[in-house]
Amino acid sequence: MLSPTPPGLEQEFENEAVPLSHRHSTRSVSAVWFGFPMILTNAVFGGIIAYNLGFWRSILAILAGNLVLFAYVGALSYLAGNTGLNFAMQARKTFGNRGYIIASAFLSTVVIGWYAFQTGLTGTIVNATFGWNTTWVIVLATVLYTGVTFLGVRALSVIGMIAAPMFVILGLVALYFVAQQSDLSEISAYQGMHGGISMGIAMTMVIAGFADSGTMTADFTRWSRQGKSAVIATFSAFPLANVVSLLSGVVIVSAGAGINPAQNGGDFLHLLTGHSALLNLLALLFVFINLGSVCTHCLYNGAVGYSHLFKSKMRLWTVILGLTGGLLAVAGVWSYFLNWLSLLGVAVPPIGAVMIVDLLIMGHIVSSRPERAWRASAFIGWAFGTLCAGIAHIWFPDAGEALIGMLAGGAAYGVIQSQIAKKWVAA
């Protein structure tokens, strides 16, 4: 028998649709998503893109990537807001009542890898900036991030409300210090170093950064009162918050204020330290709150996914996965960041694309078809999209593998289902 929800904490509905009586306001759900992309990691990405593409081309790549994210995550969120179902329960309809286990376990595991990376990054940044021991910072971060996630989805909303304004304020403070040394009016003329990434690769970086939790958006947006509210919540993240955080890195690098921008991109933490004890303290808090925002969201995704797979409780899996991710961070698994990002861009987007085609575009036939343990057509679509994205990654990297995987996977599934529907009609 499952243990009841701890006193004072909200029920998380791991294994059933969120009833309308427990849905949250649009502002509350938006705060969950809005605070997610407002992270220092995005400033790093934005700066790396600017370093390679220059100011204006990096803006085009960032906007294009965010439009793809909005269409992709927005469609999945619309489904979640209308049904109240989390990602695992949506995947059950598309991949089958046994097949969904593969898709859900895969994404729930991948997202914990992202949690481990960001937790490890917390230790590295604090060590480089303040000289604290990396391992002990990771241990502290693991305890803090696990504790916040344990409180549930409302805690994610609160940390989002804090993290996003703090990012904007300290980002503006950093720009103030940059303006003392550089002429910000000249940043638009920055041409970049014309390095090793193209527009397609830059778009993939933007998409892949949130491909995992974006695909699992239903875990957050199932709390919306309707599909429209869920889409509004998504818009607050993609493009609004995501563009702001990426562009902060673009501006830092374009103004010549980045330290080793080829690797560190638009990281602006160094600009906040060395001025006063108060600002140093705020910078330290900023690291934990900012990276804590993305870590708690990722941990929540993984915990909801595994709790549904094992018919258990989200909070139990929060502790299990939080500690596991912390151990992985201490072990240094987060240093394989580029490999992880490639996996996210290749294998994850086709999953969501297949679900969008199945549940939204072809949703009228879902309710009438018999339930199956495995739906081979969904796995073929996922495999085909992943194959096409993998080919693009190896031989045509400039084309944008994440978008190719989405389009190929969704199209393949649509063609297969259309042929199946014709056979039904003929029969």
Side-chain angles (χ1 to χ4, degrees):
M1 182 177 179
L2 298 178
S3 60
T5 302
L9 297 179
E10 185 175 26
Q11 187 176 349
E12 293 296 325
F13 301 100
E14 301 92 337
N15 301 297
E16 60 184 297
V18 178
L20 288 175
S21 59
H22 287 70
R23 304 286 183 95
H24 299 170
S25 67
T26 302
R27 185 179 71 171
S28 177
V29 179
S30 295
V32 173
W33 253 129
F34 184 71
F36 198 170
M38 281 281 197
I39 52 173
L40 200 57
T41 314
N42 260 4
V44 172
F45 286 176
I48 291 174
I49 293 171
Y51 178 78
N52 286 275
L53 298 183
F55 183 80
W56 289 112
R57 294 184 72 222
S58 64
I59 288 180
L60 287 176
I62 288 168
L63 290 177
N66 273 278
L67 287 176
V68 173
L69 274 175
F70 174 64
Y72 177 75
V73 181
L76 292 169
S77 293
Y78 180 79
L79 290 166
N82 278 344
T83 63
L85 300 177
N86 61 31
F87 169 77
M89 287 186 279
Q90 286 186 346
R92 179 188 288 268
K93 292 185 176 183
T94 299
F95 290 93
N97 55 25
R98 289 189 177 274
Y100 90 96
I101 294 173
I102 295 177
S104 183
F106 171 69
L107 272 183
S108 297
T109 302
V110 166
V111 81
I112 293 303
W114 195 238
Y115 160 80
F117 163 71
Q118 298 286 353
T119 303
L121 186 63
T122 305
T124 300
I125 290 178
V126 173
N127 171 263
T129 307
F130 301 99
W132 291 17
N133 180 274
T134 302
T135 299
W136 285 111
V137 173
I138 292 175
V139 171
L140 174 61
T142 298
V143 173
L144 291 175
Y145 302 161
T146 302
V148 172
T149 309
F150 187 88
L151 297 177
V153 72
R154 286 200 181 276
L156 303 190
S157 177
V158 172
I159 196 172
M161 290 179 182
I162 298 172
M166 194 173 192
F167 182 97
V168 173
I169 293 170
L170 292 183
L172 291 174
V173 171
L175 286 179
Y176 169 79
F177 290 125
V178 171
Q180 307 306 304
Q181 306 294 330
S182 307
D183 185 357
L184 296 183
S185 65
E186 296 181 359
I187 61 174
S188 61
Y190 180 70
Q191 296 298 310
M193 298 295 108
H194 302 289
I197 72 171
S198 64
M199 290 283 288
I201 294 175
M203 280 183 60
T204 295
M205 288 176 64
V206 173
I207 297 169
F210 287 92
D212 48 359
S213 285
T215 303
M216 301 178 80
T217 182
D219 294 344
F220 308 132
T221 48
R222 65 193 168 117
W223 297 93
S224 299
R225 289 170 180 161
Q226 57 184 336
K228 180 181 177 181
S229 299
V231 174
I232 292 173
T234 303
F235 185 82
S236 72
F238 317 110
L240 290 184
N242 204 34
V243 167
V244 169
S245 56
L246 287 164
L247 285 185
S248 67
V250 171
V251 171
I252 292 295
V253 170
S254 298
I259 296 178
N260 188 16
Q263 299 294 325
N264 299 329
D267 177 11
F268 56 78
L269 190 66
H270 64 280
L271 297 168
L272 302 174
T273 58
H275 302 283
S276 68
L278 176 60
L279 196 52
N280 285 345
L281 176 60
L282 288 174
L284 178 63
L285 291 174
F286 173 66
V287 174
F288 282 98
I289 293 173
N290 189 258
L291 296 182
S293 176
V294 68
C295 285
T296 52
H297 284 69
C298 290
L299 183 54
Y300 185 81
N301 279 140
V304 170
Y306 271 100
S307 64
H308 184 79
L309 289 174
F310 288 92
K311 299 296 182 286
S312 184
K313 288 292 185 179
M314 181 277 293
R315 291 181 172 89
L316 171 63
W317 282 98
T318 293
V319 175
I320 294 172
L321 297 175
L323 295 179
T324 301
L327 290 173
L328 291 173
V330 170
V333 70
W334 57 272
S335 61
Y336 296 97
F337 163 65
L338 292 178
N339 295 331
W340 205 255
L341 199 62
S342 295
L343 174 66
L344 296 180
V346 170
V348 175
I351 298 175
V354 168
M355 292 174 63
I356 290 169
V357 172
D358 183 50
L359 300 176
L360 188 60
I361 298 177
M362 296 183 166
H364 57 287
I365 65 172
V366 174
S367 58
S368 61
R369 73 188 178 205
E371 188 175 279
R372 294 180 179 176
W374 301 87
R375 296 198 63 251
S377 56
F379 282 96
I380 293 172
W382 178 13
F384 184 75
T386 301
L387 176 63
C388 291
I391 291 173
H393 177 74
I394 296 172
W395 286 297
F396 310 103
D398 293 349
E401 64 216 42
L403 181 58
I404 287 175
M406 283 183 195
L407 296 176
Y413 179 77
V415 170
I416 295 171
Q417 284 301 110
S418 296
Q419 294 302 312
I420 292 174
K422 287 181 180 179
K423 292 181 180 179
W424 286 349
V425 172

